[in-house]
Amino acid sequence: MHLDKLPVAVDPGRAAEINYSARESWRMLGIMAEFVEATERLASIRPAVSIFGSARTPPDHAYYMLTEDIARKLSDAGFSVVSGGGPGIMEAANKGAYFGKSPSVGLNIQLPHEQSANMYQDISQTFQHFFARKVMFVKFAAAYVVMPGGYGTLDELFEALTLVQTGKIAGIPIILVGSKFWSGLADWVKDRLVEEGMISPKDVELMRIIDRPEEVLDAIFSHYEKRGFMPSLAEREIQFNL
């Protein structure tokens, strides 16, 4: 018997490891493709405002109607409105912009539960990875408008605050809409984070609480009155390192 002609048995554990490594490599290529496709599709939407809020807010809720009003005013003022593309506050944001003068943009995410694309989108882009989607929210936003929401909304809020605080993106208006909803969080930030030295007092000023739609627009235009809405070359260079 010629033993050298027999196939060499592969350790099952090693085979699984090799297969997993190959899948990881293809996954990296998929992530790269996701970034490239989204960047090309969204390149023309500036200036834009990203709006965040709960996916569970029904259309007859005051938060939904307030969001729709804000989005319509932003759209008519010349801003593309970017939302997560799903139901609730995201739908309200897209709906308001859809019937306005500027594009309504939805950045949807594939989830096992809850998320389904709303119908009020001029531009719709679907992501498999949360982090790629979050970069696109930041990359094109001249401002963040944060409506009442849950964990996902808080995640987006504190992500934006962290990026501005650490200089990873240029300072942009981060507007929390609804003093009744957000004042407790703002007080906790001041009473705990500042008092215990976790952040500096000036970091509290990175976010602003507003109640009326007109004040949202005023805050954004006031921030940019001495400069254009388009990021400078230096600011774009910083964004490359997100």
Side-chain angles (χ1 to χ4, degrees):
M1 178 183 294
H2 297 279
L3 296 178
D4 59 336
K5 293 184 178 182
L6 297 178
V8 178
V10 179
D11 175 20
R14 176 62 179 162
E17 182 181 336
I18 292 172
N19 180 57
Y20 180 81
S21 179
R23 289 175 58 206
E24 274 292 289
S25 297
W26 279 107
R27 178 174 173 268
M28 292 300 106
L29 292 174
I31 293 170
M32 290 172 59
E34 198 162 80
F35 276 114
V36 170
E37 180 184 354
T39 300
E40 289 181 348
R41 289 204 68 202
L42 302 177
S44 63
I45 69 169
R46 288 190 177 101
V49 174
S50 292
I51 298 181
F52 304 99
S54 175
R56 305 183 183 190
T57 305
D60 59 352
H61 197 286
Y63 292 153
Y64 184 107
M65 292 181 278
L66 178 60
T67 305
E68 186 178 347
D69 188 14
I70 291 171
R72 177 62 184 266
K73 284 179 168 58
L74 287 168
S75 180
D76 286 342
F79 295 99
S80 297
V81 173
V82 184
S83 90
I89 295 296
M90 294 178 283
E91 179 182 285
N94 284 137
K95 184 178 180 181
Y98 188 79
F99 293 106
K101 297 179 180 179
S102 304
S104 170
V105 183
L107 307 184
N108 212 333
I109 184 74
Q110 293 180 356
L111 295 176
H113 309 288
E114 196 172 85
Q115 182 88 343
S116 58
N118 67 69
M119 66 178 71
Y120 304 105
Q121 300 177 44
D122 298 303
I123 301 173
S124 180
Q125 184 72 24
T126 300
F127 294 82
Q128 292 185 6
H129 306 94
F130 265 113
F131 57 86
R133 179 179 181 242
K134 289 170 76 173
V135 169
M136 294 302 129
F137 279 127
V138 173
K139 188 176 182 65
F140 300 99
Y144 269 30
V145 174
V146 189
M147 305 299 297
Y151 285 154
T153 303
L154 293 172
D155 178 43
E156 297 291 354
L157 168 61
F158 283 104
E159 171 102 4
L161 291 170
T162 301
L163 290 173
V164 174
Q165 180 202 46
T166 56
K168 283 296 185 180
I169 62 172
I172 62 173
I174 301 174
I175 300 167
L176 284 60
V177 179
S179 56
K180 184 177 180 181
F181 185 88
W182 293 112
S183 59
L185 175 64
D187 290 341
W188 177 80
V189 168
K190 295 174 186 176
D191 295 341
R192 294 273 64 82
L193 300 187
V194 174
E195 288 299 318
E196 298 195 21
M198 305 299 176
I199 63 174
S200 69
K202 68 177 183 180
D203 290 334
V204 177
E205 300 173 6
L206 298 178
M207 58 182 178
R208 178 176 176 184
I209 299 177
I210 286 175
D211 286 300
R212 297 174 60 247
E214 296 78 9
E215 293 175 334
V216 173
L217 270 72
D218 289 344
I220 296 172
F221 279 110
S222 176
H223 180 88
Y224 288 100
E225 65 181 354
K226 295 182 179 179
R227 50 157 294 174
F229 288 103
M230 297 295 288
S232 67
L233 290 177
E235 290 167 347
R236 289 192 180 192
E237 189 66 30
I238 292 172
Q239 287 183 336
F240 280 128
N241 297 313
L242 274 177

